[in-house]
Every structure is written in structure tokens, then in C-alpha cells.
Amino acid sequence: ARYGLGGRHYLRLAVEPAALLEPGYRIDARTLARCRAAELALLDGGIETATAEELHARGVRFHEALVEGSGNPFFIDTIRRVNRVRRLLSYRSMQDRRRYLQHTQQHLKLLELLERGRQEEASAAMRTHLEATLRNIGSISKLLRS
């Protein structure tokens, strides 16, 4: 039961912070700008107005872009597979959008750290971000069973 609904997130907790520590990690300025613009659009009212599909797709693009910077095909394939499976979980969890303000702020901090070449700090911040996601899954478990 421990790896039921949150199992995919435990896999993400293992893969995503590690991807940011890969030797030669590189994320280009255009990708950083695109990710930042998507997060700022959420802060500018998108949290309330975006559809569930748009919110999910934004999160998928963000996390995949950061993992792709590792250049590690195993990490990239893993995150893409996990993201395909987590769609239903994401949609149901969007019934309570309050958590998106915190997620957006965390995403912006990750982008800032990566832009400065501070991979170790970004990896730790990613771990904290994903741990918050695991806690959120626990708090929305009633929604997920309905």
C-alpha cells in the first residue's frame, strides 16, 4: 500500500533530483524562459482560469524540461513514462487549486537556481518540492477514492 498512489512520486523523488546532478547538466536559456513564462502566467490568474488539462500539461512540460537537461536517456524515458500514468491523479487533485501557488513559487526558485548553475541546491529544492507533492497526495486521498 505504501507504493500505491504515491509510488510514481517515489520514483520521481529518486529520478528528478538525481537528473539535476548529472555531469554536464545543461538547460538552455530559451527553455528556462519558456518555463518561467508558464509559471508567471499561473501567478497572473492562470491558477484559477486554466483547465485541468492545461495545468497538468504545464507541470509535465516543466518537469520533463528539467530532466531533459541531464541528457540521460534513462532519466528522460522514466519521467515521460511516469507523466503518462499520473494524468488521472493530477486531474482529481486539481479540485483544490490552493497548492498551485506554492508549486509555482517552487518552480520559479528551481529555475533561478538552474540559471545560476547551482545544481546541488536545485536538486535539494526539487526533492523538497516532490516531498510536498507526496504530502499533498496524502491530504487529497479522499478525492482520489471518489
Side-chain angles (χ1 to χ4, degrees):
R2 177 178 175 164
Y3 298 104
L5 291 171
R8 289 176 295 279
H9 292 285
Y10 284 105
L11 180 59
R12 291 178 64 201
L13 193 56
V15 170
E16 293 188 48
L20 301 180
L21 296 175
E22 278 289 282
Y25 182 90
R26 185 181 178 302
I27 187 165
D28 64 75
R30 189 175 304 157
T31 301
L32 285 168
R34 181 177 39 83
C35 289
R36 183 174 286 110
E39 299 302 319
L40 292 173
L42 286 181
L43 291 178
D44 194 31
I47 291 173
E48 293 82 21
T49 61
T51 66
E53 173 61 31
E54 290 167 340
L55 286 172
H56 175 75
R58 186 249 354 139
V60 164
R61 283 190 304 269
F62 179 87
H63 285 274
E64 287 184 3
L66 269 56
V67 171
E68 286 167 359
S70 73
N72 183 318
F74 300 106
F75 288 166
I76 295 166
D77 183 58
T78 298
I79 195 63
R80 287 180 180 158
R81 288 174 185 259
V82 167
N83 281 334
R84 283 194 300 267
V85 174
R86 73 183 183 102
R87 182 179 302 267
L88 177 61
L89 176 64
S90 291
Y91 285 5
R92 288 200 175 164
S93 71
M94 287 175 201
Q95 293 177 32
D96 179 4
R97 294 185 179 212
R98 291 174 294 186
R99 66 190 177 96
Y100 280 94
L101 177 60
Q102 180 186 32
H103 283 203
T104 300
Q105 292 166 339
Q106 291 169 345
H107 282 185
L108 289 168
K109 180 64 175 176
L110 279 162
L111 294 172
E112 176 187 332
L113 291 169
L114 291 171
E115 196 167 44
R116 293 179 172 185
R118 295 163 68 175
Q119 270 65 28
E120 287 187 26
E121 289 176 66
S123 177
M126 178 64 81
R127 176 169 291 286
T128 299
H129 172 63
L130 293 173
E131 287 170 344
T133 299
L134 281 169
R135 284 191 303 277
N136 285 334
I137 289 170
S139 69
I140 62 166
S141 60
K142 291 177 199 159
L143 290 175
L144 299 174
R145 284 189 231 116
S146 61

